[in-house]
């Protein structure tokens, strides 16, 4: 439906990132008994609100993954609820860490994909035979799940305008950097992707096991920068839901929509369509955890 013309010039933009859990620690010492009591009430209320939010997100993510095989519409509706998860987010559910990320695909391979969110954060998701992929470009429910925005979904469905969705998930369609380095915190796994024209050179310092910690084993390979796994490729908008174990993220469900110049501006506005070209170009971004 949309052509994938993805040839760009040589670039050496580099971003170094790590994946870790952020912990916020705070406290205060009150000068009097009344002030101390007030601080205690405020702290308790804040803690309770955070716990409630985290518990709810974990339940929704777990349910969306579980419902996928039986009712995709239910999964779409549940994921659309998570309007607070605009970039990367994770929560605990029944002793398991579940996670979600919305963003633009930097690289897709047979074993993993790298996603960049609108806030600049980069995360590497491992793929397996259990990972489910779904192109949602032709469904309102799926696009609402992808974007968590009724307005963005409406624009995408009514006129083919993906700019609102792109702004929410990627910030800009030019944010899929040509060369990135992803460091997975608390492991010895670092993956560097260097794109030259249409070729991606991938160097990794460790293995990527599904049920164990990465162990040091340097490997370098090349592939097309636009290689697609289950039709998902670099430059597509995507939502990934999965779990974290052994400090690595494991994708269980991937919803995506191909992105093109016609899609960003709206097919009607551009008067293009099938001949649309990709809009991704090199761009530097900040380091995020």
């Amino acid at each position: 439906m949309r052509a994938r013309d993805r040839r760009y010039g040589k670039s050496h933009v580099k971003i170094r990132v790590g994946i870790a859990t952020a912990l916020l620690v705070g406290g205060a010492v009150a000068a009097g008994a009344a002030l101390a009591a007030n601080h205690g009430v405020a702290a308790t209320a804040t803690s309770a609100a955070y716990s409630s939010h985290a518990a709810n997100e974990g339940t929704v993510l777990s349910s969306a993954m579980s419902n996928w095989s039986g009712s995709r519409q239910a999964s779409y509706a549940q994921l659309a609820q998570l309007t607070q998860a605009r970039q990367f987010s994770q929560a605990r559910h029944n002793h398991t860490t579940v996670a979600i990320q919305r963003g633009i695909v930097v690289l897709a391979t047979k074993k993993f994909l790298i996603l960049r969110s609108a806030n600049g954060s980069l995360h590497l998701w491992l793929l397996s035979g259990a990972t489910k992929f779904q192109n949602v470009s032709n469904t309102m429910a799926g696009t609402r799940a992808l974007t968590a925005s009724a307005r963005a979904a409406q624009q995408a469905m009514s006129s083919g305008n993906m700019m609102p969705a792109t702004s929410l998930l990627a910030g800009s369609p030019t944010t899929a950097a040509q060369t990135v380095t992803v460091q997975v915190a608390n492991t010895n796994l670092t993956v560097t992707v260097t794109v030259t024209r249409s070729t991606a050179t991938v160097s990794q310092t460790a293995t990527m096991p599904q049920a164990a910690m990465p162990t040091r084993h340097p490997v370098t390979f090349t592939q097309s920068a636009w290689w697609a796994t289950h039709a998902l490729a670099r430059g597509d908008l995507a939502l990934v839901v999965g779990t974290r174990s052994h400090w690595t993220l494991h994708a269980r469900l991937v919803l995506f929509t191909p992105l093109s110049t016609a899609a960003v501006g709206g097919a009607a506005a551009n008067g293009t369509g099938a001949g649309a070209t990709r809009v991704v170009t090199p761009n530097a971004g900040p380091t995020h955890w």
Side-chain angles (χ1 to χ4, degrees):
M1 179 177 67
R2 294 173 180 141
R4 296 174 181 272
D5 181 0
R6 309 174 179 187
R7 302 191 309 176
Y8 299 92
K10 186 174 181 181
S11 176
H12 296 285
V13 181
K14 183 168 289 186
I15 306 171
R16 298 186 64 83
V17 300
I19 299 176
T21 301
L23 300 178
L24 298 179
V25 181
V29 178
L35 186 57
N38 289 336
H39 278 209
V41 171
T44 300
T46 301
S47 177
Y50 176 80
S51 298
S52 175
H53 160 72
N56 180 64
E57 182 175 304
T59 300
V60 171
L61 290 176
S62 179
S63 181
M65 289 187 283
S66 299
N67 287 334
W68 183 253
S69 297
S71 176
R72 294 187 181 183
Q73 293 301 314
S75 293
Y76 288 153
Q78 290 165 329
L79 293 172
Q81 296 175 25
L82 299 177
T83 57
Q84 77 282 358
R86 295 296 187 192
Q87 291 87 35
F88 174 82
S89 184
Q90 64 181 11
R92 294 286 293 177
H93 179 75
N94 292 341
H95 308 294
T96 299
T97 299
V98 290
I100 180 174
Q101 185 181 8
R102 290 181 165 97
I104 191 168
V105 177
V106 172
L107 187 76
T109 76
K110 294 181 179 179
K111 294 185 176 181
F112 66 88
L113 64 87
I114 297 175
L115 205 66
R116 184 187 191 278
S117 297
N119 66 349
S121 63
L122 280 162
H123 294 276
L124 184 150
W125 293 82
L126 298 183
L127 306 176
S128 71
T131 304
K132 306 299 181 183
F133 295 85
Q134 182 63 50
N135 185 331
V136 298
S137 59
N138 292 321
T139 165
M140 172 65 80
T143 303
R144 286 196 66 172
L146 175 72
T147 61
S149 168
R151 174 180 174 275
Q154 182 62 38
Q155 288 289 311
M157 291 294 101
S158 63
S159 65
N161 181 10
M162 291 298 296
M163 185 55 76
T166 302
S167 296
L168 286 174
L169 273 64
S172 165
T174 65
T175 56
Q178 289 281 29
T179 300
V180 297
T181 296
V182 181
Q183 295 175 309
V184 182
N186 299 301
T187 75
N188 54 16
L189 174 59
T190 298
V191 177
T192 299
V193 181
T194 304
V195 176
T196 304
R197 298 185 183 277
S198 61
T199 300
T201 301
V202 184
S203 300
Q204 63 187 67
T205 60
T207 59
M208 298 183 184
Q210 290 290 320
M213 285 285 288
T215 57
R216 183 164 181 77
H217 182 67
V219 174
T220 298
F221 63 92
T222 61
Q223 67 168 54
S224 166
W226 307 109
W227 191 86
T229 175
H230 296 271
L232 174 75
R234 182 172 183 267
D236 294 346
L237 296 182
L239 174 151
V240 185
V241 180
T243 60
R244 164 169 279 163
S245 63
H246 305 286
W247 294 102
T248 53
L249 293 167
H250 303 263
R252 289 272 304 277
L253 177 60
V254 181
L255 309 183
F256 66 94
T257 291
L259 198 62
S260 66
T261 51
V264 173
N270 287 271
T272 53
T277 58
R278 304 296 289 209
V279 297
V280 179
T281 56
N283 187 61
T287 297
H288 286 268
W289 290 93

